[in-house]
Amino acid sequence: MKCLTTVLLFCTSLALSTSLSAQVNAPTFLCVQSDTLFWELPTNNCGPFNAYVVYASNTLGGPFEVLANITDPDRDFFHHPNPQGLVWYYYLESDHDCPGQVVLQSETLDNRAPQVAPIESVTVEGEDVLIFWNPSPSPEVVAYIIYREEEFGTVPIDTVFGDVTTYRNTTATTLLKTEIYLIIHIDACGNTSIFQGPHRSLLLETQVNICEQSITLSWDPYDGWTDGILRQEVWLSVDGSTPQRWEELGPTDT
């Protein structure tokens, strides 16, 4: 049984290796800056290199036509003059002498700045602030820069990389004041999106009336959603118990 198992594993590995090599990898298309396309060089060992092929179109749906053939295998950029400031869409292929193998295409990117995706919410958790946002619709985005409004202006407080859509700010002062946050998106060339509308956290204040055995709550309304607030809810926890919804309020109650 051990010999049979070894043979089966060897055959599976060989088949997987053959499957992975039966394709021509495209350059990793990074971004477009100042009418110049940038990419990372691919690895292809199936046959001699001919060119990197740049395809272009003025519409995302095409048709795409060959814009250039880059015959230097070590070149990782291409300048496409665009004096009229038109919107262009590009993708890349590798041309190797590899008959019968699948030729892969890169991501399709345009020459515009990254598109912004709005913040979903800014939430207070303990003394921290949690920020949630949607991923950018631009595939070239590699990081998100978190900004916070301070007395002396709007300043970056951190940068997060990869497919991240949440951020916890442990330097927040949520017990003292509301905090206002913005996010911009950045690509590998340093191009950034515009700012989307800011979001402001809630600051809840309480006044206890011992004689009346009552508590008065007051707060600044949440700010940031395009369509405004639908409703507000008051949740109550007694002596650390699981919070329960105590009251539902209108969108303008404070």
Side-chain angles (χ1 to χ4, degrees):
M1 291 298 292
K2 290 183 178 179
C3 290
L4 177 59
T5 302
T6 301
V7 172
L8 288 175
L9 287 174
F10 174 76
C11 291
T12 302
S13 176
L14 182 59
L16 179 61
S17 175
T18 302
S19 174
L20 290 175
S21 65
Q23 60 190 25
V24 180
N25 295 312
T28 301
F29 195 178
L30 298 176
C31 48
V32 182
Q33 184 179 47
S34 301
D35 300 337
T36 300
L37 289 64
F38 295 92
W39 60 83
E40 288 182 352
L41 302 178
T43 298
N44 289 296
N45 300 316
C46 59
F49 171 83
N50 294 322
Y52 300 124
V53 186
V54 180
Y55 289 83
S57 174
N58 290 123
T59 59
L60 180 58
F64 283 81
E65 297 181 353
V66 174
L67 178 65
N69 286 276
I70 312 300
T71 56
D72 180 356
D74 295 322
R75 188 170 175 183
D76 57 4
F77 67 93
F78 171 71
H79 181 63
H80 177 211
N82 185 23
Q84 295 178 320
L86 301 176
V87 174
W88 285 94
Y89 298 86
Y90 307 94
Y91 70 84
L92 310 172
E93 289 183 356
S94 297
D95 179 10
H96 283 253
D97 190 8
C98 302
Q101 298 203 14
V102 177
V103 178
L104 301 182
Q105 298 175 347
S106 72
E107 293 265 19
T108 299
L109 304 183
D110 59 49
N111 59 344
R112 298 175 295 180
Q115 298 181 58
V116 68
I119 295 175
E120 288 186 344
S121 63
V122 170
T123 301
V124 176
E125 187 175 280
E127 296 185 26
D128 299 345
V129 165
L130 288 176
I131 307 170
F132 300 86
W133 63 90
N134 293 310
S136 172
S138 300
E140 68 270 24
V141 166
V142 296
Y144 302 92
I145 304 176
I146 315 297
Y147 283 79
R148 180 172 62 185
E149 286 195 7
E150 306 284 1
E151 294 180 3
F152 47 85
T154 302
V155 297
I157 61 172
D158 209 346
T159 301
V160 294
F161 294 85
D163 298 327
V164 179
T165 55
T166 62
Y167 178 77
R168 178 183 292 270
N169 181 22
T170 58
T171 66
T173 55
T174 56
L175 301 182
L176 300 176
K177 62 182 178 68
T178 61
E179 297 208 332
I180 299 175
Y181 291 89
L182 304 97
I183 294 178
I184 62 172
H185 310 235
I186 186 169
D187 66 18
C189 288
N191 301 312
T192 61
S193 68
I194 61 171
F195 280 113
Q196 191 74 4
H199 280 238
R200 182 176 64 184
S201 67
L202 289 172
L203 174 63
L204 177 64
E205 298 180 305
T206 60
Q207 252 186 339
V208 179
N209 189 317
I210 297 176
C211 296
E212 295 181 0
Q213 290 291 285
S214 67
I215 302 175
T216 299
L217 310 178
S218 60
W219 62 92
D220 293 322
Y222 186 89
D223 186 25
W225 291 321
T226 303
D227 297 327
I229 298 170
L230 177 63
R231 68 175 182 274
Q232 301 179 96
E233 297 175 352
V234 179
W235 288 63
L236 175 67
S237 168
V238 179
D239 293 332
S241 62
T242 302
Q244 304 290 328
R245 189 173 70 171
W246 184 259
E247 190 75 48
E248 184 174 306
L249 305 174
T252 59
D253 291 323
T254 58

